[in-house]
Amino acid sequence: MTLPLKHILKNIKFNIQERVTATMSFPFNQFALEAKEQNKSQEFIDACLAYASNLSEQGYPVTFSIEHLAMQIGVQSDYLRNLIGDGKRDITYDYEHKYKRYNYFKLKKRDGNFREIMSPAKDLKFIQKWILVNILSKYRLAESCKGFRKRISIYDNAKVHENSEIILKVDLLKFYDTITEKRVYGLFKSLGYATNLSFSLAKITTAKHRKNYWRDFNNSSKEILSELVQTKPAILPQGSPTSPMISNILATKMDYRFEGMAKKQNFRYSRYADDLTFSITKEGSLPSLNVISKIITQEGFFINHKKTQYLKKGCKQYVTGLTTTNGINVNKKYRKQISEHIYFCRKYGVKSHLARRKKDFPNSNSLSFHNWLYGHLCFINSVNSKASKTLLEEFNKINWSV
């Protein structure tokens, strides 16, 4: 939709409070009256009202421009324009400017590789949270989407695949990196927002990796994601509050396609972030990897073939870290490790135990270790309250005094 909306807030002044909150319904009648008083054409008024009505009906805040967005959030429009690089429409905006808005650090993964985290500065994080709460959280996700949703956990994801004959686990390659600024722009545009505003929202919610990030890809990833490696676009930053929901929304069509297949072929499907799980009981048939790969590619993602796994009944079956063979449970090895920590803390004392395990807990003290251990017990309790009962009783017998 092409509308002269960019400066609407400057041309039409509402007799309402200076800061417009997203929870306030759009004043359709007042808008029309004041637009007429300012001699705006009926065509212009109708187009603006249709735009506002489309957003309002879906539960999204009615926002016409970057100035309007700044007013709703409660920040200066000049500040917001500076944040996105003066609001230029060219997607290849100033790299160095955006770079300074994030703190970059690496986290070591279980496979020995590193994950680059981009943590937004406080002011940017505040704006992203506003976008998350007022816009993105209103989107209705597929039932099969289990990750990063309120009151839904890894337990709910694993529960889908309880007591399966075969489980097929598929991992998406560089999930966030494949969600570029261009795709995020398309998302906001599809929600109904104007072109210029969609560009701005995409810029606010994406960022570029440090220059050496793409260079460190392994050869396989470089080959599959060659276009991204060459162009080095702005992508969803791991560490931004908006990234999980944006990724869920952009994967929704893929989720619906697999849900439709699941009903026809009688298999079960769920997705937790970049982990896709397919399973069958005694009846039904799993889709072929070729079909799965085709759908994933068509939806703009890629399979990490190194992590594809078939888990047959009789072998250890697990989904998002939880075993699924005989009900949903926490891994026995994991529970044993926690049990041993409690046992040795009681036998030797916390301080002595930490000294013995200094390599595993180099900077821990009694308080931090108490919180670490209790956190793991709470996790076990959330999955299997019976298994955690004895552990909690023994934990409460530990002498935590320094």
Side-chain angles (χ1 to χ4, degrees):
M1 178 180 68
T2 303
L3 291 173
L5 300 174
K6 186 175 180 181
H7 301 295
I8 190 170
L9 265 287
K10 293 181 179 179
N11 297 329
I12 301 175
K13 302 180 188 293
F14 299 109
N15 294 318
I16 55 178
Q17 63 186 35
E18 182 177 348
R19 178 178 176 179
V20 182
T21 59
T23 54
M24 182 183 294
S25 59
F26 184 74
F28 288 93
N29 293 333
Q30 186 179 353
F31 179 96
L33 287 172
E34 299 217 12
K36 287 179 181 178
E37 288 178 5
Q38 296 183 29
N39 297 317
K40 299 298 176 183
S41 69
Q42 191 59 47
E43 181 184 5
F44 175 82
I45 295 172
D46 290 344
C48 290
L49 291 177
Y51 172 83
S53 179
N54 179 49
L55 291 169
S56 183
E57 286 174 1
Q58 297 179 84
Y60 302 127
V62 177
T63 311
F64 289 102
S65 64
I66 194 69
E67 287 83 8
H68 194 180
L69 179 65
M71 188 184 296
Q72 289 175 317
I73 297 174
V75 298
Q76 296 279 340
S77 60
D78 288 344
Y79 165 78
L80 203 55
R81 284 195 171 279
N82 179 62
L83 184 68
I84 62 177
D86 297 325
K88 296 175 183 177
R89 288 184 60 179
D90 180 7
I91 288 184
T92 59
Y93 56 89
D94 180 17
Y95 169 75
E96 292 298 333
H97 172 82
K98 203 68 175 291
Y99 180 92
K100 295 174 184 176
R101 293 293 177 182
Y102 289 84
N103 297 311
Y104 291 71
F105 58 92
K106 291 183 177 181
L107 288 180
K108 192 171 184 179
K109 298 193 292 184
R110 284 182 295 179
D111 60 7
N113 293 318
F114 289 88
R115 187 189 310 277
E116 180 160 85
I117 304 298
M118 293 181 272
S119 178
K122 287 184 178 180
D123 52 353
L124 176 57
K125 189 174 185 179
F126 170 80
I127 293 168
Q128 290 175 341
K129 280 187 174 180
W130 188 97
I131 293 170
L132 171 64
V133 171
N134 292 284
I135 300 177
L136 299 172
S137 65
K138 311 292 184 182
Y139 191 90
R140 185 174 180 179
L141 298 169
E143 179 65 26
S144 56
C145 173
K146 304 298 183 182
F148 310 114
R149 302 182 67 177
K150 288 183 178 179
R151 294 178 290 278
I152 297 178
S153 67
I154 59 172
Y155 177 90
D156 299 291
N157 186 52
K159 187 73 176 175
V160 175
H161 308 282
E162 186 176 17
N163 301 323
S164 298
E165 285 292 315
I166 304 175
I167 293 176
L168 169 59
K169 300 178 66 177
V170 175
D171 183 76
L172 299 181
L173 179 66
K174 303 291 182 182
F175 186 40
Y176 279 11
D177 293 335
T178 59
I179 300 176
T180 62
E181 184 185 279
K182 187 175 181 179
R183 293 182 70 181
V184 178
Y185 155 75
L187 183 158
F188 286 110
K189 194 76 169 62
S190 71
L191 298 184
Y193 286 104
T195 299
N196 283 352
L197 182 59
S198 295
F199 270 113
S200 297
L201 289 166
K203 289 179 179 180
I204 292 170
T205 53
T206 59
K208 285 199 172 187
H209 283 293
R210 289 180 288 191
K211 292 179 180 179
N212 64 347
Y213 176 80
W214 303 97
R215 184 194 64 199
D216 294 339
F217 273 24
N218 59 47
N219 291 333
S220 175
S221 296
K222 282 182 179 178
E223 184 178 350
I224 297 171
L225 305 176
S226 58
E227 184 178 344
L228 295 175
V229 173
Q230 289 174 12
T231 59
K232 301 176 178 59
I235 49 80
L236 279 191
Q238 292 206 35
S240 166
T242 48
S243 293
M245 191 60 183
I246 288 175
S247 67
N248 275 343
I249 293 173
L250 285 171
T252 297
K253 186 180 175 183
M254 178 179 69
D255 291 336
Y256 281 136
R257 291 182 69 178
F258 284 130
E259 284 182 7
M261 285 182 62
K263 289 179 181 178
K264 291 179 180 179
Q265 294 183 217
N266 196 22
F267 65 82
R268 300 178 293 190
Y269 165 76
S270 70
R271 180 181 61 82
Y272 194 98
D274 57 354
D275 292 325
L276 281 61
T277 309
F278 306 80
S279 67
I280 55 172
T281 53
K282 291 183 178 181
E283 298 180 358
S285 60
L286 288 174
S288 70
L289 266 177
N290 286 337
V291 171
I292 292 172
S293 182
K294 184 178 180 180
I295 291 175
I296 288 173
T297 303
Q298 287 174 345
E299 297 304 324
F301 302 106
F302 303 87
I303 286 183
N304 185 351
H305 290 283
K306 291 182 179 179
K307 291 189 176 181
T308 299
Q309 287 182 298
Y310 283 95
L311 306 174
K312 295 182 179 181
K313 192 169 187 177
C315 301
K316 181 181 176 183
Q317 292 182 327
Y318 59 93
V319 176
T320 45
L322 301 177
T323 58
T324 61
T325 306
N326 297 307
I328 309 304
N329 213 330
V330 180
N331 185 289
K332 283 186 179 180
K333 184 179 179 181
Y334 167 72
R335 278 183 286 160
K336 185 179 179 181
Q337 289 174 342
I338 298 302
S339 177
E340 286 177 350
H341 281 301
I342 295 172
Y343 172 79
F344 288 122
C345 280
R346 288 196 63 202
K347 184 174 183 179
Y348 300 112
V350 178
K351 188 175 181 180
S352 178
H353 176 58
L354 288 175
R356 291 166 179 262
R357 301 292 296 273
K358 192 172 183 179
K359 185 178 178 181
D360 299 320
F361 305 94
N363 300 311
S364 288
N365 53 37
S366 293
L367 178 60
S368 62
F369 186 70
H370 172 281
N371 294 340
W372 178 88
L373 194 54
Y374 184 68
H376 284 279
L377 290 172
C378 288
F379 169 69
I380 295 171
N381 184 64
S382 70
V383 177
N384 188 333
S385 57
K386 286 185 178 180
S388 68
K389 186 177 179 181
T390 303
L391 291 174
L392 282 167
E393 288 174 354
E394 294 301 304
F395 172 82
N396 289 328
K397 295 176 183 178
I398 299 174
N399 182 2
W400 293 100
S401 60
V402 179

PDB file of all heavy atoms in Angstrom, residues 67-91:
ATOM      1  N   GLU A  67       7.914   8.782  13.447  1.00  0.00           N
ATOM      2  CA  GLU A  67       7.588   9.815  14.444  1.00  0.00           C
ATOM      3  C   GLU A  67       6.466   9.330  15.365  1.00  0.00           C
ATOM      4  O   GLU A  67       6.511   9.533  16.583  1.00  0.00           O
ATOM      5  CB  GLU A  67       7.157  11.104  13.743  1.00  0.00           C
ATOM      6  CG  GLU A  67       8.276  11.883  13.083  1.00  0.00           C
ATOM      7  CD  GLU A  67       8.639  11.367  11.704  1.00  0.00           C
ATOM      8  OE1 GLU A  67       7.906  10.486  11.182  1.00  0.00           O
ATOM      9  OE2 GLU A  67       9.645  11.818  11.151  1.00  0.00           O
ATOM     10  N   HIS A  68       5.485   8.695  14.762  1.00  0.00           N
ATOM     11  CA  HIS A  68       4.366   8.151  15.549  1.00  0.00           C
ATOM     12  C   HIS A  68       4.859   7.047  16.486  1.00  0.00           C
ATOM     13  O   HIS A  68       4.457   6.965  17.650  1.00  0.00           O
ATOM     14  CB  HIS A  68       3.299   7.621  14.598  1.00  0.00           C
ATOM     15  CG  HIS A  68       1.979   7.357  15.251  1.00  0.00           C
ATOM     16  ND1 HIS A  68       0.894   6.876  14.548  1.00  0.00           N
ATOM     17  CD2 HIS A  68       1.555   7.492  16.533  1.00  0.00           C
ATOM     18  CE1 HIS A  68      -0.125   6.727  15.368  1.00  0.00           C
ATOM     19  NE2 HIS A  68       0.247   7.090  16.576  1.00  0.00           N
ATOM     20  N   LEU A  69       5.739   6.182  15.989  1.00  0.00           N
ATOM     21  CA  LEU A  69       6.305   5.103  16.800  1.00  0.00           C
ATOM     22  C   LEU A  69       7.066   5.664  17.990  1.00  0.00           C
ATOM     23  O   LEU A  69       6.931   5.178  19.119  1.00  0.00           O
ATOM     24  CB  LEU A  69       7.236   4.236  15.953  1.00  0.00           C
ATOM     25  CG  LEU A  69       7.922   3.079  16.679  1.00  0.00           C
ATOM     26  CD1 LEU A  69       6.903   2.052  17.150  1.00  0.00           C
ATOM     27  CD2 LEU A  69       8.965   2.416  15.774  1.00  0.00           C
ATOM     28  N   ALA A  70       7.865   6.708  17.741  1.00  0.00           N
ATOM     29  CA  ALA A  70       8.619   7.346  18.832  1.00  0.00           C
ATOM     30  C   ALA A  70       7.680   7.894  19.893  1.00  0.00           C
ATOM     31  O   ALA A  70       7.921   7.768  21.101  1.00  0.00           O
ATOM     32  CB  ALA A  70       9.499   8.457  18.264  1.00  0.00           C
ATOM     33  N   MET A  71       6.568   8.486  19.447  1.00  0.00           N
ATOM     34  CA  MET A  71       5.576   9.027  20.373  1.00  0.00           C
ATOM     35  C   MET A  71       4.962   7.920  21.215  1.00  0.00           C
ATOM     36  O   MET A  71       4.771   8.052  22.427  1.00  0.00           O
ATOM     37  CB  MET A  71       4.489   9.760  19.586  1.00  0.00           C
ATOM     38  CG  MET A  71       3.508  10.523  20.456  1.00  0.00           C
ATOM     39  SD  MET A  71       2.179  11.287  19.467  1.00  0.00           S
ATOM     40  CE  MET A  71       3.127  12.439  18.480  1.00  0.00           C
ATOM     41  N   GLN A  72       4.661   6.792  20.579  1.00  0.00           N
ATOM     42  CA  GLN A  72       4.045   5.683  21.307  1.00  0.00           C
ATOM     43  C   GLN A  72       5.008   5.083  22.332  1.00  0.00           C
ATOM     44  O   GLN A  72       4.611   4.728  23.438  1.00  0.00           O
ATOM     45  CB  GLN A  72       3.592   4.610  20.317  1.00  0.00           C
ATOM     46  CG  GLN A  72       2.384   5.014  19.485  1.00  0.00           C
ATOM     47  CD  GLN A  72       2.042   3.980  18.430  1.00  0.00           C
ATOM     48  OE1 GLN A  72       2.922   3.456  17.761  1.00  0.00           O
ATOM     49  NE2 GLN A  72       0.769   3.691  18.271  1.00  0.00           N
ATOM     50  N   ILE A  73       6.256   4.943  21.948  1.00  0.00           N
ATOM     51  CA  ILE A  73       7.249   4.366  22.864  1.00  0.00           C
ATOM     52  C   ILE A  73       7.597   5.345  23.975  1.00  0.00           C
ATOM     53  O   ILE A  73       7.870   4.961  25.107  1.00  0.00           O
ATOM     54  CB  ILE A  73       8.525   3.954  22.089  1.00  0.00           C
ATOM     55  CG1 ILE A  73       8.186   2.853  21.083  1.00  0.00           C
ATOM     56  CG2 ILE A  73       9.613   3.467  23.044  1.00  0.00           C
ATOM     57  CD1 ILE A  73       9.341   2.483  20.164  1.00  0.00           C
ATOM     58  N   GLY A  74       7.580   6.639  23.632  1.00  0.00           N
ATOM     59  CA  GLY A  74       7.929   7.660  24.611  1.00  0.00           C
ATOM     60  C   GLY A  74       9.363   8.116  24.502  1.00  0.00           C
ATOM     61  O   GLY A  74      10.007   8.424  25.514  1.00  0.00           O
ATOM     62  N   VAL A  75       9.886   8.149  23.272  1.00  0.00           N
ATOM     63  CA  VAL A  75      11.259   8.629  23.047  1.00  0.00           C
ATOM     64  C   VAL A  75      11.233   9.706  21.971  1.00  0.00           C
ATOM     65  O   VAL A  75      10.245   9.866  21.243  1.00  0.00           O
ATOM     66  CB  VAL A  75      12.197   7.477  22.600  1.00  0.00           C
ATOM     67  CG1 VAL A  75      12.301   6.419  23.668  1.00  0.00           C
ATOM     68  CG2 VAL A  75      11.722   6.863  21.275  1.00  0.00           C
ATOM     69  N   GLN A  76      12.308  10.451  21.860  1.00  0.00           N
ATOM     70  CA  GLN A  76      12.413  11.479  20.843  1.00  0.00           C
ATOM     71  C   GLN A  76      12.492  10.842  19.459  1.00  0.00           C
ATOM     72  O   GLN A  76      13.215   9.865  19.265  1.00  0.00           O
ATOM     73  CB  GLN A  76      13.670  12.327  21.079  1.00  0.00           C
ATOM     74  CG  GLN A  76      13.664  13.119  22.372  1.00  0.00           C
ATOM     75  CD  GLN A  76      12.862  14.413  22.240  1.00  0.00           C
ATOM     76  OE1 GLN A  76      12.631  14.883  21.142  1.00  0.00           O
ATOM     77  NE2 GLN A  76      12.462  14.960  23.376  1.00  0.00           N
ATOM     78  N   SER A  77      11.792  11.417  18.491  1.00  0.00           N
ATOM     79  CA  SER A  77      11.833  10.862  17.141  1.00  0.00           C
ATOM     80  C   SER A  77      13.227  11.001  16.523  1.00  0.00           C
ATOM     81  O   SER A  77      13.666  10.111  15.784  1.00  0.00           O
ATOM     82  CB  SER A  77      10.797  11.553  16.248  1.00  0.00           C
ATOM     83  OG  SER A  77      11.046  12.941  16.165  1.00  0.00           O
ATOM     84  N   ASP A  78      13.927  12.088  16.848  1.00  0.00           N
ATOM     85  CA  ASP A  78      15.294  12.250  16.340  1.00  0.00           C
ATOM     86  C   ASP A  78      16.205  11.155  16.887  1.00  0.00           C
ATOM     87  O   ASP A  78      17.080  10.650  16.180  1.00  0.00           O
ATOM     88  CB  ASP A  78      15.864  13.621  16.725  1.00  0.00           C
ATOM     89  CG  ASP A  78      15.226  14.752  15.934  1.00  0.00           C
ATOM     90  OD1 ASP A  78      14.591  14.455  14.905  1.00  0.00           O
ATOM     91  OD2 ASP A  78      15.364  15.910  16.348  1.00  0.00           O
ATOM     92  N   TYR A  79      15.986  10.793  18.142  1.00  0.00           N
ATOM     93  CA  TYR A  79      16.776   9.722  18.747  1.00  0.00           C
ATOM     94  C   TYR A  79      16.513   8.395  18.033  1.00  0.00           C
ATOM     95  O   TYR A  79      17.432   7.644  17.726  1.00  0.00           O
ATOM     96  CB  TYR A  79      16.424   9.592  20.225  1.00  0.00           C
ATOM     97  CG  TYR A  79      16.903   8.294  20.839  1.00  0.00           C
ATOM     98  CD1 TYR A  79      18.239   8.116  21.191  1.00  0.00           C
ATOM     99  CD2 TYR A  79      16.018   7.229  21.030  1.00  0.00           C
ATOM    100  CE1 TYR A  79      18.678   6.924  21.722  1.00  0.00           C
ATOM    101  CE2 TYR A  79      16.455   6.036  21.554  1.00  0.00           C
ATOM    102  CZ  TYR A  79      17.782   5.899  21.905  1.00  0.00           C
ATOM    103  OH  TYR A  79      18.221   4.712  22.418  1.00  0.00           O
ATOM    104  N   LEU A  80      15.247   8.126  17.755  1.00  0.00           N
ATOM    105  CA  LEU A  80      14.886   6.874  17.103  1.00  0.00           C
ATOM    106  C   LEU A  80      15.441   6.825  15.684  1.00  0.00           C
ATOM    107  O   LEU A  80      15.916   5.788  15.222  1.00  0.00           O
ATOM    108  CB  LEU A  80      13.369   6.713  17.083  1.00  0.00           C
ATOM    109  CG  LEU A  80      12.823   5.290  16.940  1.00  0.00           C
ATOM    110  CD1 LEU A  80      13.392   4.383  18.018  1.00  0.00           C
ATOM    111  CD2 LEU A  80      11.297   5.296  17.009  1.00  0.00           C
ATOM    112  N   ARG A  81      15.403   7.955  14.981  1.00  0.00           N
ATOM    113  CA  ARG A  81      15.971   8.007  13.633  1.00  0.00           C
ATOM    114  C   ARG A  81      17.481   7.799  13.666  1.00  0.00           C
ATOM    115  O   ARG A  81      18.044   7.120  12.812  1.00  0.00           O
ATOM    116  CB  ARG A  81      15.644   9.346  12.967  1.00  0.00           C
ATOM    117  CG  ARG A  81      14.208   9.426  12.483  1.00  0.00           C
ATOM    118  CD  ARG A  81      14.008  10.577  11.519  1.00  0.00           C
ATOM    119  NE  ARG A  81      12.680  10.498  10.924  1.00  0.00           N
ATOM    120  CZ  ARG A  81      12.369   9.711   9.904  1.00  0.00           C
ATOM    121  NH1 ARG A  81      13.282   8.917   9.379  1.00  0.00           N
ATOM    122  NH2 ARG A  81      11.148   9.690   9.407  1.00  0.00           N
ATOM    123  N   ASN A  82      18.130   8.370  14.664  1.00  0.00           N
ATOM    124  CA  ASN A  82      19.573   8.184  14.800  1.00  0.00           C
ATOM    125  C   ASN A  82      19.910   6.734  15.102  1.00  0.00           C
ATOM    126  O   ASN A  82      20.911   6.188  14.615  1.00  0.00           O
ATOM    127  CB  ASN A  82      20.109   9.091  15.912  1.00  0.00           C
ATOM    128  CG  ASN A  82      21.608   8.922  16.109  1.00  0.00           C
ATOM    129  OD1 ASN A  82      22.405   9.173  15.212  1.00  0.00           O
ATOM    130  ND2 ASN A  82      21.998   8.497  17.309  1.00  0.00           N
ATOM    131  N   LEU A  83      19.037   6.088  15.871  1.00  0.00           N
ATOM    132  CA  LEU A  83      19.242   4.686  16.246  1.00  0.00           C
ATOM    133  C   LEU A  83      19.252   3.770  15.029  1.00  0.00           C
ATOM    134  O   LEU A  83      20.012   2.806  14.962  1.00  0.00           O
ATOM    135  CB  LEU A  83      18.134   4.256  17.209  1.00  0.00           C
ATOM    136  CG  LEU A  83      18.228   2.850  17.791  1.00  0.00           C
ATOM    137  CD1 LEU A  83      19.410   2.736  18.733  1.00  0.00           C
ATOM    138  CD2 LEU A  83      16.943   2.508  18.529  1.00  0.00           C
ATOM    139  N   ILE A  84      18.423   4.097  14.054  1.00  0.00           N
ATOM    140  CA  ILE A  84      18.331   3.243  12.866  1.00  0.00           C
ATOM    141  C   ILE A  84      19.152   3.782  11.702  1.00  0.00           C
ATOM    142  O   ILE A  84      19.037   3.298  10.573  1.00  0.00           O
ATOM    143  CB  ILE A  84      16.858   3.069  12.426  1.00  0.00           C
ATOM    144  CG1 ILE A  84      16.243   4.415  12.054  1.00  0.00           C
ATOM    145  CG2 ILE A  84      16.062   2.385  13.511  1.00  0.00           C
ATOM    146  CD1 ILE A  84      14.825   4.310  11.542  1.00  0.00           C
ATOM    147  N   GLY A  85      19.982   4.779  11.951  1.00  0.00           N
ATOM    148  CA  GLY A  85      20.833   5.325  10.901  1.00  0.00           C
ATOM    149  C   GLY A  85      20.116   6.343  10.049  1.00  0.00           C
ATOM    150  O   GLY A  85      20.105   6.252   8.821  1.00  0.00           O
ATOM    151  N   ASP A  86      19.448   7.297  10.697  1.00  0.00           N
ATOM    152  CA  ASP A  86      18.743   8.385  10.016  1.00  0.00           C
ATOM    153  C   ASP A  86      17.559   7.906   9.187  1.00  0.00           C
ATOM    154  O   ASP A  86      17.072   8.635   8.315  1.00  0.00           O
ATOM    155  CB  ASP A  86      19.702   9.184   9.120  1.00  0.00           C
ATOM    156  CG  ASP A  86      20.786   9.867   9.939  1.00  0.00           C
ATOM    157  OD1 ASP A  86      20.494  10.302  11.059  1.00  0.00           O
ATOM    158  OD2 ASP A  86      21.909   9.945   9.457  1.00  0.00           O
ATOM    159  N   GLY A  87      17.127   6.668   9.424  1.00  0.00           N
ATOM    160  CA  GLY A  87      15.934   6.183   8.748  1.00  0.00           C
ATOM    161  C   GLY A  87      16.087   5.995   7.262  1.00  0.00           C
ATOM    162  O   GLY A  87      15.116   6.019   6.519  1.00  0.00           O
ATOM    163  N   LYS A  88      17.324   5.779   6.781  1.00  0.00           N
ATOM    164  CA  LYS A  88      17.513   5.568   5.351  1.00  0.00           C
ATOM    165  C   LYS A  88      16.834   4.275   4.913  1.00  0.00           C
ATOM    166  O   LYS A  88      16.870   3.278   5.594  1.00  0.00           O
ATOM    167  CB  LYS A  88      19.012   5.496   5.031  1.00  0.00           C
ATOM    168  CG  LYS A  88      19.752   6.796   5.316  1.00  0.00           C
ATOM    169  CD  LYS A  88      21.240   6.623   5.092  1.00  0.00           C
ATOM    170  CE  LYS A  88      21.994   7.896   5.456  1.00  0.00           C
ATOM    171  NZ  LYS A  88      23.457   7.719   5.298  1.00  0.00           N
ATOM    172  N   ARG A  89      16.264   4.292   3.723  1.00  0.00           N
ATOM    173  CA  ARG A  89      15.542   3.121   3.237  1.00  0.00           C
ATOM    174  C   ARG A  89      16.488   2.052   2.711  1.00  0.00           C
ATOM    175  O   ARG A  89      16.109   0.909   2.540  1.00  0.00           O
ATOM    176  CB  ARG A  89      14.558   3.522   2.136  1.00  0.00           C
ATOM    177  CG  ARG A  89      13.366   4.293   2.665  1.00  0.00           C
ATOM    178  CD  ARG A  89      12.380   4.592   1.560  1.00  0.00           C
ATOM    179  NE  ARG A  89      11.893   3.349   0.971  1.00  0.00           N
ATOM    180  CZ  ARG A  89      10.998   3.315  -0.007  1.00  0.00           C
ATOM    181  NH1 ARG A  89      10.520   4.434  -0.503  1.00  0.00           N
ATOM    182  NH2 ARG A  89      10.599   2.154  -0.510  1.00  0.00           N
ATOM    183  N   ASP A  90      17.718   2.408   2.436  1.00  0.00           N
ATOM    184  CA  ASP A  90      18.676   1.426   1.942  1.00  0.00           C
ATOM    185  C   ASP A  90      18.978   0.429   3.043  1.00  0.00           C
ATOM    186  O   ASP A  90      19.417   0.800   4.126  1.00  0.00           O
ATOM    187  CB  ASP A  90      19.962   2.129   1.497  1.00  0.00           C
ATOM    188  CG  ASP A  90      21.001   1.156   0.959  1.00  0.00           C
ATOM    189  OD1 ASP A  90      20.671  -0.032   0.814  1.00  0.00           O
ATOM    190  OD2 ASP A  90      22.130   1.599   0.691  1.00  0.00           O
ATOM    191  N   ILE A  91      18.739  -0.843   2.781  1.00  0.00           N
ATOM    192  CA  ILE A  91      18.940  -1.875   3.811  1.00  0.00           C
ATOM    193  C   ILE A  91      20.403  -1.961   4.231  1.00  0.00           C
ATOM    194  O   ILE A  91      20.729  -2.333   5.341  1.00  0.00           O
ATOM    195  CB  ILE A  91      18.424  -3.238   3.295  1.00  0.00           C
ATOM    196  CG1 ILE A  91      16.902  -3.198   3.268  1.00  0.00           C
ATOM    197  CG2 ILE A  91      18.887  -4.383   4.173  1.00  0.00           C
ATOM    198  CD1 ILE A  91      16.257  -4.491   2.864  1.00  0.00           C
TER     199      ILE A  91
END
